[in-house]
Amino acid sequence: MNDLHGYKNPKGSFFNLPMYKEERFLLKRSAYSPTIHEPLYRTGLNYECPEVRDFMFAQIREILQGSSSIGCATALTIYGVVEFAGNLLPAYSPEANQTTDIRYITLSRRMVAASAAGKLALGADGIYGFNFYTADHAREPRLPTNYANLRGMERLDLLCGEEKHYTFSTNGEKFSHIPFETPPQLPAILEPGWRQGFRLPMCAEPDGTGLELVVQIVVNADDPVVCMPVMANGCWPKLEHERTDKLLFPCGLYTHHVAASGPSGPEAQRLQANVGYNYTFPVSLVKEGWNEIVVENGSERQIRIVCIELAIRQGRPE
């Protein structure tokens, strides 16, 4: 209804509604800050105009009321929306000696499953996904999109009990559409003695699957982490952890965080060196719907949390 992919050609693009071609119906001064990426992409239709409101509400009424001429009504269905674009945690492939600043979700069935499961656990009736071709579009070597990863993502009963890779959203230049999207929770700065909670939707897991919950706190590799307690949904703070340079799960050929000992060259120098701290909890702590991870800085110096990722994975044999 208000797709802006045709913003570079307002009068000629097939994406645009007829009224999008008229200046009087467009939003003014929507790019209010000089740092906003591609200002024209923020120039949508102006809902202050009666013509815009009438047009949009007419479409909504048509969808909700159905066609009275055949005596049927359309039931309201709520979809969870998953954009299969990039995840902005940099990663490294020792096998290919290759780094990336974007991990493509479509390369990981576990990321796809987690993205869909979180929406379904909040009550979505189905999943609407788009931009699943992103890895193909990027044309990176050895990174074809795996379309089999789409199977069953609309069914929570199939996703429950499956391994998943949840990750929090982070601020990221053009990928964060200011001011229309919810502000990302990360990165975050924790001064000594500070704590902060982070919330994301997840699905509860069935008993007897052998699964465990692993919370990975990703920080700047130079930060002196001495004591960093972590809580999952109100449990007692946990201090025991495993320091690691590995991602929770591979994403295509990428398996590791970018580290100071990684590849050389301008690209590697541009990316910050990160390290992960893994905390393991019983999977029974995971709730259906919103879950909270609390991180505390018990060290004597500032910690910069780059990202937080969660794995629902098979427990390691003792």
Side-chain angles (χ1 to χ4, degrees), residues 128-189:
Y128 175 80
F130 64 103
N131 285 347
F132 199 81
Y133 59 86
T134 47
D136 291 337
H137 178 72
R139 297 183 177 87
E140 291 195 24
R142 304 166 63 187
L143 289 180
T145 291
N146 185 355
Y147 290 89
N149 288 338
L150 284 167
R151 290 174 181 158
M153 74 167 187
E154 76 287 354
R155 291 183 53 184
L156 189 57
D157 62 323
L158 296 180
L159 297 176
C160 287
E162 183 178 328
E163 288 190 328
K164 302 176 191 67
H165 187 172
Y166 294 93
T167 180
F168 282 83
S169 297
T170 59
N171 273 302
E173 303 173 359
K174 63 182 179 180
F175 293 103
S176 183
H177 292 300
I178 301 171
F180 305 110
E181 295 182 341
T182 302
Q185 300 176 71
L186 292 162
I189 298 294

Side-chain angles (χ1 to χ4, degrees), residues 48-66:
E48 290 182 328
C49 301
E51 295 90 341
V52 173
R53 296 197 302 271
D54 290 345
F55 181 85
M56 293 301 180
F57 285 140
Q59 292 191 79
I60 294 172
R61 281 193 295 271
E62 180 180 341
I63 293 171
L64 296 182
Q65 295 175 0

Side-chain angles (χ1 to χ4, degrees), residues 16-232:
N16 300 332
L17 293 172
M19 63 176 58
Y20 192 73
K21 301 175 183 179
E22 299 188 45
E23 186 75 20
R24 61 194 177 105
F25 293 134
L26 299 184
L27 193 63
K28 305 297 191 300
R29 296 181 296 278
S30 56
Y32 52 86
S33 167
T35 60
I36 285 181
H37 180 75
E38 292 198 53
L40 288 178
Y41 194 68
R42 303 302 195 275
T43 307
L45 294 173
N46 185 357
Y47 283 80
E48 290 182 328
C49 301
E51 295 90 341
V52 173
R53 296 197 302 271
D54 290 345
F55 181 85
M56 293 301 180
F57 285 140
Q59 292 191 79
I60 294 172
R61 281 193 295 271
E62 180 180 341
I63 293 171
L64 296 182
Q65 295 175 0
S67 174
S68 59
S69 62
I70 57 175
C72 67
T74 302
L76 177 61
T77 301
I78 299 175
Y79 284 91
V81 177
V82 178
E83 180 181 4
F84 294 108
N87 177 280
L88 294 178
L89 182 67
Y92 169 57
S93 169
E95 175 189 356
N97 193 31
Q98 183 173 313
T99 62
T100 180
D101 54 359
I102 296 177
R103 290 179 299 163
Y104 292 100
I105 297 172
T106 57
L107 302 176
S108 169
R109 167 63 186 184
R110 297 177 179 97
M111 279 189 172
V112 171
S115 298
K119 310 299 187 299
L120 295 169
L122 291 180
D125 300 303
I127 295 296
Y128 175 80
F130 64 103
N131 285 347
F132 199 81
Y133 59 86
T134 47
D136 291 337
H137 178 72
R139 297 183 177 87
E140 291 195 24
R142 304 166 63 187
L143 289 180
T145 291
N146 185 355
Y147 290 89
N149 288 338
L150 284 167
R151 290 174 181 158
M153 74 167 187
E154 76 287 354
R155 291 183 53 184
L156 189 57
D157 62 323
L158 296 180
L159 297 176
C160 287
E162 183 178 328
E163 288 190 328
K164 302 176 191 67
H165 187 172
Y166 294 93
T167 180
F168 282 83
S169 297
T170 59
N171 273 302
E173 303 173 359
K174 63 182 179 180
F175 293 103
S176 183
H177 292 300
I178 301 171
F180 305 110
E181 295 182 341
T182 302
Q185 300 176 71
L186 292 162
I189 298 294
L190 291 186
E191 296 291 347
W194 285 16
R195 62 173 180 165
Q196 188 163 331
F198 306 89
R199 299 176 70 239
L200 84 166
M202 304 172 67
C203 74
E205 302 296 341
D207 297 330
T209 58
L211 296 171
E212 64 183 9
L213 166 66
V214 180
V215 178
Q216 183 175 91
I217 312 298
V218 183
V219 303
N220 187 320
D222 294 330
D223 287 354
V225 176
V226 177
C227 178
M228 188 170 60
V230 173
M231 300 169 60

